[in-house]
């Protein structure tokens, strides 16, 4: 008898017919405890492969695309702040998935052979990474913020840089290091960071052309990668060009309102996102002097901003810091300034409490801006000033006064 499918919809199959139509169920030998453990490990690796919205965002964790050439993250984008080594995590995830498949009777798998399954092997430290430095978390205070910001903003407003002309490029060189991985399979979590290394960025004033050189970063190569804008992204606070920055208000109250309005719903709350947005602009841009001063004064109006008496950038230079702690994960981002000149030196992100295996005092990332300039071509560097010792074992250009300071 031929049955039409629509007629069988209300006519349930009996057990005998079901047994004839369906294959027999498997007989997995995996215990519930073992399966639970593997499942938990797999989810941990997936979480580690997904950057969170922590404030130590790596410049290289910004959204990117591919347009003809390999395309790197553009400077000062977004706020994804925990870069990971995808290769290591992906290998572990694939191993875990393959292990579960074998345990459930896959061909040639351990369950089929009746043998025991070895637990996943903990990942080795990422290649080129070193244990993250740990420092004493200095106490911050709201007292003194206003006075310090007045000095910092005054120095920024007095900075002198030539106006970039058509065909010229804005150049920023930094020493950088960011957290790359942490592994807790054995219950003994340890944080790793990149070795401190140079990073150079060239950007045209209109944002249409750019280049990034970060040869120690996986996937970039010694010749660097393009930052050319395909034209599909309108300039904004999260994707600024120099020409766009010149259109922003410099009054701190008006500027701060614009930042809150344009970043509404992003990050870990409006106050933290406003602070992070300003920090992104300071880290890897050449700012018009009056705008730099306005940004510092706007930051002082954000609730939770404090003054830290001593911090150190990636080149080992000490200074005072304007800082704010992200209450979501306890990471405090510190903008560091020279005590005498109030020049912007760099940034440091310090963990203020134990969270997700990262111990309090761990330096999750730090940078040191060593040069800002206007040059005539991509890959052209300004005349090298005196080297700064201590920047990851490599000489680096000294910080020059600029509109970003």
């Amino acid at each position: 008898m031929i049955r039409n499918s629509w007629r069988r919809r209300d006519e349930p199959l009996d057990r005998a017919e079901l047994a004839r139509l369906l294959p027999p169920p498997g007989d997995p030998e995996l215990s519930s405890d073992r399966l639970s453990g593997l499942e938990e490990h797999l989810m941990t690796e997936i979480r580690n492969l997904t950057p969170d919205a922590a404030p130590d965002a790596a410049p290289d964790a910004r959204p990117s695309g591919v347009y003809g050439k390999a395309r790197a993250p553009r400077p000062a984008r977004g706020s994804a702040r925990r870069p990971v080594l995808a290769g290591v995590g992906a290998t572990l995830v694939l191993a875990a998935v393959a292990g579960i498949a074998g345990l459930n009777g896959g061909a040639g798998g351990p369950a089929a052979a009746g043998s025991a399954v070895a637990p996943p092997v903990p990942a080795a430290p990422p290649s080129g990474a070193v244990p993250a430095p740990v420092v004493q978390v200095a106490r911050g205070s709201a007292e003194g913020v206003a006075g310090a910001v007045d000095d910092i903003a005054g120095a920024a407003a007095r900075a002198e840089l030539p106006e970039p002309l058509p065909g010229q490029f804005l150049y920023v060189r930094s020493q950088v290091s960011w957290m790359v991985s942490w592994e807790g399979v054995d219950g003994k979590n340890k944080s790793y960071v990149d070795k401190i290394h140079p990073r150079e960025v060239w950007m045209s004033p209109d944002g249409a052309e750019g280049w990034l050189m970060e040869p120690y970063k996986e996937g970039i190569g010694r010749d660097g990668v393009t930052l050319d804008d395909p034209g599909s992204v309108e300039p904004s606070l999260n994707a600024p060009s120099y020409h766009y920055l010149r259109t922003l208000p410099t009054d701190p109250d008006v500027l701060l309102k614009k930042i809150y309005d344009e970043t509404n719903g992003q990050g870990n709350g409006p106050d933290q996102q406003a602070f992070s947005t300003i920090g992104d602009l300071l880290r890897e841009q050449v700012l018009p002097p009056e705008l730099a001063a306005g940004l510092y004064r706007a930051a002082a109006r954000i609730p939770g901003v404090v003054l830290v008496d001593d911090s150190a950038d990636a080149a080992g230079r000490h200074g005072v810091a304007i800082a704010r702690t992200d209450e979501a994960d306890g990471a405090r981002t510190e903008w560091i300034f020279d005590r005498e000149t109030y020049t912007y030196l760099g940034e440091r992100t310090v963990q203020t409490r134990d969270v997700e295996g990262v111990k309090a005092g761990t330096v999750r990332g730090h940078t040191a801006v060593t040069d800002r300039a206007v040059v005539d071509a991509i890959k052209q560097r300004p005349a090298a000033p005196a080297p700064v010792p201590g920047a990851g074992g490599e000489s680096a250009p000294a910080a020059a006064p600029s509109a970003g300071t």
Side-chain angles (χ1 to χ4, degrees), residues 41-313:
H41 174 73
L42 175 59
M43 294 307 299
T44 297
E45 292 305 324
I46 293 173
R47 284 193 295 270
N48 284 350
L49 283 171
T50 306
D52 64 9
D56 50 335
D60 54 339
R62 305 321 193 235
S64 61
V66 177
Y67 303 95
K69 301 178 183 178
R71 182 173 174 83
R74 298 172 65 81
R77 299 291 194 272
S79 58
R81 298 283 216 155
R82 187 179 296 159
V84 296
L85 287 185
V88 175
T91 301
L92 286 173
V93 171
L94 290 173
V97 173
I100 291 175
L103 284 168
N104 283 279
S115 59
V117 178
V121 178
S127 176
V130 296
V134 179
V135 299
Q136 184 174 359
V137 180
R139 188 178 182 84
S141 172
E143 294 182 11
V145 169
V149 167
D150 280 344
D151 291 333
I152 292 166
R158 294 189 297 271
E160 296 182 2
L161 266 184
E163 183 74 11
L165 301 174
Q168 291 188 311
F169 292 83
L170 304 155
Y171 170 81
V172 181
R173 177 185 168 96
S174 306
Q175 297 286 325
V176 302
S177 171
W178 297 102
M179 183 171 286
V180 292
S181 177
W182 59 89
E183 179 59 54
V185 172
D186 59 358
K188 297 180 180 179
N189 297 293
K190 194 166 186 178
S191 301
Y192 294 90
V193 294
D194 292 316
K195 289 182 180 178
I196 297 173
H197 60 273
R199 175 181 167 97
E200 296 174 283
V201 171
W202 291 261
M203 290 295 297
S204 62
D206 62 2
E209 298 178 75
W211 197 261
L212 167 67
M213 294 191 72
E214 195 174 358
Y216 296 93
K217 199 68 177 175
E218 183 179 357
I220 292 182
R222 299 198 66 83
D223 290 333
V225 290
T226 183
L227 296 176
D228 289 359
D229 195 325
S232 60
V233 178
E234 287 294 322
S236 67
L237 288 171
N238 287 327
S241 66
Y242 183 81
H243 287 170
Y244 170 81
L245 294 173
R246 286 185 58 82
T247 69
L248 294 179
T250 58
D251 178 274
D253 292 316
V254 178
L255 184 56
L256 187 60
K257 182 179 185 305
K258 179 178 179 64
I259 292 171
Y260 274 109
D261 288 345
E262 290 200 11
T263 61
N264 183 41
Q266 301 176 18
N268 293 335
D271 296 331
Q272 182 60 34
Q273 184 58 37
F275 188 82
S276 297
T277 298
I278 295 174
D280 288 343
L281 295 175
L282 299 175
R283 184 186 309 114
E284 209 163 50
Q285 292 286 343
V286 178
L287 299 174
E290 290 299 327
L291 176 61
L295 286 170
Y296 290 129
R297 292 192 171 102
R301 291 162 164 77
I302 298 174
V305 171
V306 298
L307 179 68
V308 178
D309 288 337
D310 184 66
S311 184
D313 69 6

Side-chain angles (χ1 to χ4, degrees), residues 328-372:
D329 64 1
R332 185 173 75 187
T333 301
E334 304 167 351
W335 308 335
I336 308 164
F337 303 87
D338 184 274
R339 297 180 189 278
E340 303 296 329
T341 66
Y342 301 106
T343 298
Y344 177 92
L345 299 179
E347 177 185 304
R348 183 174 78 173
T349 301
V350 179
Q351 193 67 32
T352 61
R353 66 174 188 264
D354 293 355
V355 63
E356 295 182 3
V358 183
K359 297 183 182 300
T362 298
V363 177
R364 298 178 58 154
H366 51 175
T367 69
V369 176
T370 54
D371 208 358
R372 300 185 200 249

